[in-house]
Amino acid sequence: MDSPKKDDVVTMVDVLNDEKELDEATSAVLSGSDEKICTYSSGYIKRQALYSCLTCCPEAKDDQEKAIGLCLGCSLDCHDHHQLVELYTKRSFRCDCGLKYNSVACRLDTSKKKILETSASSSTANVNELNKYNQNFSGTYCTCHRPYPDEEDTVDDEMIQCIVCEDWYHTRHLNTKVPDSTTYTEMICESCVTKNDFLLDYIGLAVEVVDLSQSAADTTLNVTQTNDSIIEESSPKRIKLSDDACTRPNNPLNDNVAKALFFKDAWRKSLCQCEKCMKLYEEQKVQYLIDEEDTVVFYEEKGKNKPKTSSYDASLAALSSLDRVNQIDAITSYNRMKDKLFEFLQTFVVNNQIVTEEDVKRFFRTMKEGTDNQNVHQPHFCR
Ligand SMILES: [Zn+2]
Ligand SMILES: [Zn+2]
Ligand SMILES: [Zn+2]
Ligand SMILES: [Zn+2]
Ligand SMILES: [Zn+2]
Ligand SMILES: [Zn+2]
């Protein structure tokens, strides 16, 4: 028989699926790996799961600009066994695998070799120049710049991703009261609201924490829900700078103090799209705010609704529906399993044996039982 290669390992996926012995998430990630796709050729993808590799780019630990971002396929294949930072999803990114700094060559997209050869520049730092790298690529998050998960953090807290800078924040470091997570779908951090202060004009759309101790007469705190009437009421008071039909409201609270804002699903539809406002979004580089396809909600729905033409799509959808901790667990389990299976198959090569379905099933039974004993590594029928 041929020597088992890592490639052979993934052909065992069907056997694994038959076993139905793994939890669904791990199985979904594993089943996707038989399609070896790097997303590079699709260009800057509106939203995709990304990973940063600190084995290929150790400098990235201290300098986010020296980081590379990898698509899911490359993270599992080309950078197998590497120290990866899981970045959840990011917008407008093109896979850097094999193209920058000391990245290993990309095994999934060999056309990249040509790009490197024809690249006149000796430096590859300019490849994928529209990619943006934040501190998450170095493995740190939030205003506290801590890793995730953070072993030294004893506080039970969640992290929320800002839809503008796409960094993640501990709720306790958002500097404001955080509404119940069921009441909003998007958050913009204080720093991004400061930089894009036009967002304060839309504060009427924001979900506020209702402070019941306040008197009912204090109407400013009654802005508890998405409330179109607030915008309509305030519109007539607006001083029109031009005669086009700008629907950007005045800040109904007359409060220009920036703070993190929480918005409900579809709030972006209320953002004015007049010529002036569009120009503003462009200047501030936030045009994606008016693109429905930019939202994580859209990305996740797309994953759920798309006919599962490939197991790769299916695994992406499954992966995107998991929370961060489960995503990492699923990928870690997958990598551990793949190593063990490779090791197991290697013993058949050494002994010049043929692998039967029963052998593979036995392997998975042993994995399931967690009995990592000698039998896993040794075929029973050694001659
Ligand atoms: Zn890739
Ligand atoms: Zn790597
Ligand atoms: Zn690759
Ligand atoms: Zn923090
Ligand atoms: Zn932000
Ligand atoms: Zn406008």
Side-chain angles (χ1 to χ4, degrees):
M1 68 177 267
D2 294 335
S3 337
K5 297 185 273 300
K6 289 269 181 183
D7 294 9
D8 294 328
V9 174
V10 291
T11 63
M12 298 298 175
V13 160
D14 291 340
V15 180
L16 175 65
N17 282 342
D18 289 347
E19 288 293 286
K20 293 197 172 52
E21 285 181 342
L22 286 165
D23 64 80
E24 214 174 286
T26 309
S27 170
V29 173
L30 185 59
S31 71
S33 67
D34 61 343
E35 268 173 63
K36 301 176 163 259
I37 295 172
C38 170
T39 59
Y40 176 81
S41 62
S42 303
Y44 294 91
I45 294 186
K46 279 196 180 177
R47 187 164 290 287
Q48 65 176 321
L50 283 181
Y51 305 81
S52 165
C53 184
L54 298 179
T55 302
C56 289
C57 300
E59 300 87 358
K61 283 176 203 161
D62 302 312
D63 182 356
Q64 66 203 40
E65 295 305 326
K66 298 234 168 79
I68 54 169
L70 310 168
C71 69
L72 175 65
C74 289
S75 78
L76 293 174
D77 191 310
C78 318
H79 300 262
D80 186 25
H81 287 98
H82 290 194
Q83 187 190 350
L84 298 176
V85 180
E86 197 264 321
L87 301 169
Y88 193 52
T89 72
K90 302 243 183 252
R91 70 168 59 88
S92 306
F93 202 94
R94 192 169 199 186
C95 180
D96 289 326
C97 177
L99 291 172
K100 291 179 93 163
Y101 307 118
N102 296 317
S103 169
V104 292
C106 184
R107 291 201 290 239
L108 303 184
D109 183 346
T110 47
S111 73
K112 289 178 190 168
K113 272 197 195 126
K114 277 191 207 120
I115 298 160
L116 285 177
E117 280 160 16
T118 54
S119 165
S121 140
S122 56
S123 157
T124 54
N126 294 334
V127 171
N128 294 342
E129 57 186 356
L130 299 181
N131 281 351
K132 294 215 168 53
Y133 305 86
N134 66 13
Q135 65 162 343
N136 300 167
F137 287 78
S138 305
T140 56
Y141 304 84
C142 189
T143 52
C144 61
H145 312 296
R146 293 292 305 165
Y148 179 89
D150 183 357
E151 279 163 21
E152 288 169 32
D153 186 3
T154 52
V155 182
D156 185 23
D157 196 358
E158 295 187 305
M159 294 193 98
I160 309 173
Q161 188 177 32
C162 168
I163 60 159
V164 175
C165 62
E166 300 202 294
D167 198 352
W168 291 81
Y169 296 87
H170 294 109
T171 61
R172 66 188 190 277
H173 293 154
L174 280 170
N175 246 348
T176 188
K177 281 187 182 161
V178 176
D180 186 273
S181 63
T182 57
T183 61
Y184 66 90
T185 52
E186 298 197 310
M187 184 277 289
I188 301 178
C189 75
E190 182 180 346
S191 155
C192 290
V193 173
T194 307
K195 281 181 212 144
N196 300 281
D197 60 359
F198 72 89
L199 289 166
L200 285 170
D201 286 344
Y202 292 94
I203 205 165
L205 297 172
V207 176
E208 292 271 320
V209 179
V210 187
D211 187 345
L212 296 173
S213 66
Q214 291 286 320
S215 121
D218 187 352
T219 52
T220 59
L221 278 171
N222 288 339
V223 190
T224 55
Q225 301 289 332
T226 300
N227 190 342
D228 291 339
S229 66
I230 288 167
I231 295 171
E232 278 154 27
E233 277 165 25
S234 60
S235 291
K237 285 179 253 159
R238 185 182 171 78
I239 301 159
K240 292 262 173 179
L241 299 172
S242 70
D243 55 357
D244 64 37
C246 183
T247 59
R248 176 174 156 191
N250 278 334
N251 179 344
L253 302 183
N254 288 322
D255 174 3
N256 287 314
V257 180
K259 58 173 187 162
L261 297 177
F262 300 83
F263 293 104
K264 275 189 155 187
D265 224 5
W267 74 278
R268 299 189 192 198
K269 288 201 177 97
S270 303
L271 287 170
C272 178
Q273 296 194 27
C274 80
E275 211 177 309
K276 221 180 185 73
C277 288
M278 294 295 274
K279 201 156 171 260
L280 176 70
Y281 305 149
E282 205 182 307
E283 281 163 10
Q284 307 272 92
K285 299 195 170 62
V286 293
Q287 305 97 307
Y288 52 79
L289 283 178
I290 53 162
D291 179 3
E292 187 208 355
E293 296 184 8
D294 175 71
T295 65
V296 172
V297 170
F298 180 87
Y299 170 80
E300 290 178 353
E301 287 302 313
K302 193 175 78 174
K304 275 184 231 156
N305 299 335
K306 189 153 64 173
K308 302 293 186 286
T309 52
S310 71
S311 49
Y312 179 79
D313 290 339
S315 68
L316 268 188
L319 191 62
S320 70
S321 70
L322 298 174
D323 64 29
R324 287 171 58 74
V325 176
N326 281 330
Q327 282 186 13
I328 294 165
D329 286 351
I331 289 164
T332 310
S333 309
Y334 164 70
N335 284 332
R336 197 165 42 226
M337 165 88 57
K338 204 166 70 163
D339 291 346
K340 284 258 156 59
L341 184 54
F342 178 69
E343 220 174 284
F344 172 65
L345 293 175
Q346 195 66 42
T347 62
F348 286 84
V349 181
V350 173
N351 295 300
N352 209 17
Q353 297 287 339
I354 303 215
V355 186
T356 66
E357 187 172 324
E358 186 43 47
D359 293 326
V360 178
K361 285 192 169 160
R362 179 166 50 83
F363 167 83
F364 285 115
R365 265 198 306 276
T366 319
M367 282 296 283
K368 175 84 187 322
E369 286 155 12
T371 51
D372 183 12
N373 56 33
Q374 292 272 313
N375 291 342
V376 179
H377 310 291
Q378 297 291 325
H380 285 314
F381 45 90
C382 288
R383 276 175 224 154

